[in-house]
Every structure is written in C-alpha cells, then in structure tokens.
Amino acid sequence: MTHGRYERRGPRPVRRLWVVLLAAGLLAAGCAGGGAGAQEEDAQAEREAPAGDVSPVAEVARRIEPSVVQVNVSSIQTSPYGPQEAQGLGSGVVYREDGYVITNNHVVEGADTVNVAFADGSVEKGEVVGGDPYTDIAVVKVDRVNLPAAEFADSGDLVVGQLAVAAGSPSGFQSTVTSGIISGLNREIPPEITGGSQQSALVDLIQTDAAISPGSSGGALVDRTGSVIGINVAYLPPAQTGAVNLGFAIPSATATDVADAIIEDGRAEHPYVGVSLIDLTPEIARRFDVSVESGAIVTGVDPDGPASDAGIEPGGVVTAVEGEKITSTGDLLAALRRHDPGDSVELTVAREGEAREFTVELEGKG
C-alpha cells in the first residue's frame, strides 16, 4: 500500500479458480427450511409497524446504529522506498459496555494503531486484545465505559428467508444500513476471500443478500428485533462471480464464544485433530476408485497429533463425526468446533472399501 492511501479493510477479490470451487461447494451445501414461515413473519411485522410509514428496517436501524462503530487502522510497512504508512478501515460492534468491541481479525491484524469511531461522532484509541485467525474474530478494547452494547441473539434459531439487516461502514460511509434476507446457512468460504491469514476455510457462515462491501467487515448482521445474529466477514464480487448480493457473516454464537475466550485469556483455543484434508468429490472418487463419493480425504497426519495416536492414516476418508454425516472438510471443521479440547469424538473413516470407527481425543490449538 502507498503512503497516505486509505484502504477499506474488506474481502479481497478471489481468483477465478477459487470462485469455481466455491460455487460448486455452495451448490452442494444444504440449507435450512422455513422460508415461508419467515416471510409470513415479515408480513406480520409490516402490518404491525408503527404509524407514519416507519418500516421494520427503519426501526432495526434505529436500534442497532449506536452499537456499530468504524474501526480505523494504520501500520508502518517497509518498501523499496523505505518505511511507509498504510491505512485502512473496517467496522465493529460494541460487545460490552465496559469498552469491548468485536470486529474481524483481518481488519486489525498487523495494525500499529487502532481508533474506534462511534455513531455519536466521538473517537477513542483502541487496543487489540487479541485475534483468532481460525474464525476471523478479534476484540478491540477502548478506555471508555457505559457504551451502547448490542444485544446478541441465538444464531442457532435462524431460518432461511427471515429478515436480515447489515450495518457498518462500507467505503467509509459510517452507519450505513442495508437490508435483505438470510439466503442460506452453514456456508463455507476459503480464506483467500477475506484477505485474512486464517489457515482453514471459514465455516458455518450465514449467507445474506443484504449488501456487504469493503469496509463492512466486522459490522453487524441483525434480525427484526435489532439483535445481532452475525458479524459480517466477506462478500463475493459480482464482477468475478456473475452473481450479486452474496454476503457472509460469522454466526453470533461463534463470535461471542471466541470473544469471551479472547477477553478472558487473550486467545481462543480450538479443537485440534492433527490432519490435513481436502474435499472428496464424486470426480475424485471415480478417478482414484474410492469406495465413497463424498467426505474429507486425509492427505496428511501430524505424527505427534491425536489422529495419529488414534491410528488414523493418510488416504482414508472421514465420512462421519459422532454419527453425523460429513460431506466436506467444512462439515468436518464445523462438527469439530462444537466440541472442546479434551473431548473424545468418534470419527468414521472409510478406507479400501471398509469403514472403521476411531476414537480421537481432541487437543487444543490457538
């Protein structure tokens, strides 16, 4: 980045190869039902809206606006011309009234200075408490109390078709609100899309057609009550995908769990199996004469990791976790994240036409 340039911290365009792979993954992914019921709820909300043509979205915007902030960052980077200042921005959500703000890890990673701009026009210096590259969640602390903390809803109760409102600072336009619906659940995207440093794909994401743009990263995705159901993290550029309004958010349950761990310990710990994985597709299965058509292929095993201790070897295909069917690496990661380090989980692994059960004691990794 060049001196004085203000970079909007948001998802970077993804190369076409990743777009093709991602598109295939999305077509194969399941989504929850209930769209008709959610649409009826939206209609009911419209009928019950206050007088004066105030729409449900306007009421949601009024409730969430004080809790959404702009996160301005800067860093000193080396270049052939010497040290240069790089600047960027993203969004955040006030998590606790005693000064804690949730944002995306890719917004604040590598930042030397962080400033948080509130909806009331005030600005406070922020300190990065910690960040988690696996989930792309980070926590920033400001020296201020009595902040307008947002209410976080249970993201496990979401249904496709329900109202979704995104709030953030796209392109630096603070307190911008867009609306749409939840378009899908349990989505997966590779790390290249966020521009972050996480090693694995982001999984269990909420898909929405509410517009999410560069600078929206770290902002709020909220429901009809104004409660946060997700933290905005990425979008797919229409110029590369040929599709519009493909935005993604990290579920609130994941965001708050990770934020709590960061606030308490400075880091989040995740269950570690000790395997390298790729998706098994029907094409790969036919090419290599694999006995199953979907799952997560074990391409490598950490010799000192729990999978090795359990007897899992490269070449097997993980098809289930605790009896829950696994069709991709994203499914496996999502299933494992529902467990804690120290838990024992049963993995079903297919190899040479046979399925075997392996009990793996998860380790922690942060």
Side-chain angles (χ1 to χ4, degrees):
M1 289 180 287
T2 58
H3 178 73
R5 181 179 178 184
Y6 216 73
E7 176 186 323
R8 298 181 294 277
R9 289 290 180 105
R12 299 173 186 171
V14 61
R15 291 177 296 177
R16 185 164 298 278
L17 174 61
W18 271 115
V19 173
V20 173
L21 293 175
L22 177 61
L26 291 181
L27 287 172
C31 59
Q39 291 170 1
E40 175 58 30
E41 290 178 11
D42 285 341
Q44 180 67 20
E46 292 281 2
R47 291 192 293 269
E48 295 175 357
D53 294 328
V54 178
S55 72
V57 174
E59 178 61 20
V60 169
R62 182 189 67 80
R63 293 181 183 178
I64 193 60
E65 181 182 12
S67 304
V68 178
V69 302
Q70 181 170 303
V71 180
N72 302 307
V73 300
S74 64
S75 62
I76 302 299
Q77 300 182 353
T78 58
S79 75
Y81 307 100
Q84 296 200 12
E85 183 182 34
Q87 296 180 319
L89 66 84
S91 303
V93 182
V94 178
Y95 181 46
R96 289 181 12 183
E97 63 178 14
D98 57 346
Y100 290 98
V101 173
I102 292 177
T103 185
N104 285 149
N105 185 64
H106 77 262
V107 170
V108 297
E109 64 179 343
D112 295 318
T113 62
V114 178
N115 290 292
V116 178
F118 293 89
D120 63 5
S122 62
V123 179
E124 299 286 349
K125 183 178 180 180
E127 176 184 354
V128 179
V129 180
D132 179 45
Y134 292 96
T135 58
D136 206 6
I137 289 292
V139 175
V140 174
K141 178 72 163 61
V142 297
D143 187 16
R144 182 169 165 182
V145 295
N146 299 320
L147 293 179
E151 179 179 343
F152 284 73
D154 182 359
S155 54
D157 295 332
L158 303 179
V159 295
V160 173
Q162 75 177 70
L163 179 69
V165 177
S169 296
S171 299
F173 291 96
Q174 193 170 356
S175 300
T176 293
V177 170
T178 60
S179 66
I181 61 170
I182 293 177
S183 306
L185 299 169
N186 306 315
R187 300 307 201 195
E188 173 189 350
I189 57 175
E192 282 77 2
I193 288 183
T194 66
S197 64
Q198 67 269 15
Q199 299 298 311
S200 58
L202 295 174
V203 298
D204 265 356
L205 298 181
I206 302 166
Q207 180 187 338
T208 180
D209 66 351
I212 294 175
S213 307
S216 298
S217 291
L221 187 70
V222 301
D223 63 15
R224 69 177 64 257
T225 69
S227 298
V228 179
I229 56 176
I231 299 297
N232 300 328
V233 66
Y235 79 107
L236 299 186
Q240 293 193 9
T241 64
V244 296
N245 298 337
L246 292 176
F248 301 90
I250 302 161
S252 57
T254 299
T256 55
D257 283 349
V258 172
D260 287 341
I262 290 174
I263 293 170
E264 182 175 351
D265 301 321
R267 58 191 285 269
E269 191 174 57
H270 300 282
Y272 176 68
V273 176
V275 293
S276 301
L277 303 162
I278 62 171
D279 288 347
L280 173 64
T281 64
E283 291 77 15
I284 294 176
R286 287 192 294 270
R287 181 178 178 184
F288 294 99
D289 195 25
V290 179
S291 59
V292 292
E293 291 192 350
S294 65
I297 305 175
V298 179
T299 59
V301 178
D302 178 354
D304 299 318
S308 178
D309 293 342
I312 295 175
E313 299 177 346
V317 179
V318 180
T319 59
V321 175
E322 293 289 311
E324 176 185 346
K325 185 177 180 180
I326 299 298
T327 61
S328 67
T329 57
D331 284 350
L332 178 56
L333 291 172
L336 292 174
R337 285 178 182 172
R338 292 194 283 272
H339 296 274
D340 296 320
D343 288 353
S344 292
V345 297
E346 188 174 84
L347 302 185
T348 303
V349 180
R351 185 183 179 92
E352 297 179 351
E354 295 183 2
R356 289 185 55 192
E357 310 294 336
F358 294 87
T359 300
V360 179
E361 184 174 343
L362 302 175
E363 295 180 0
K365 186 174 182 179

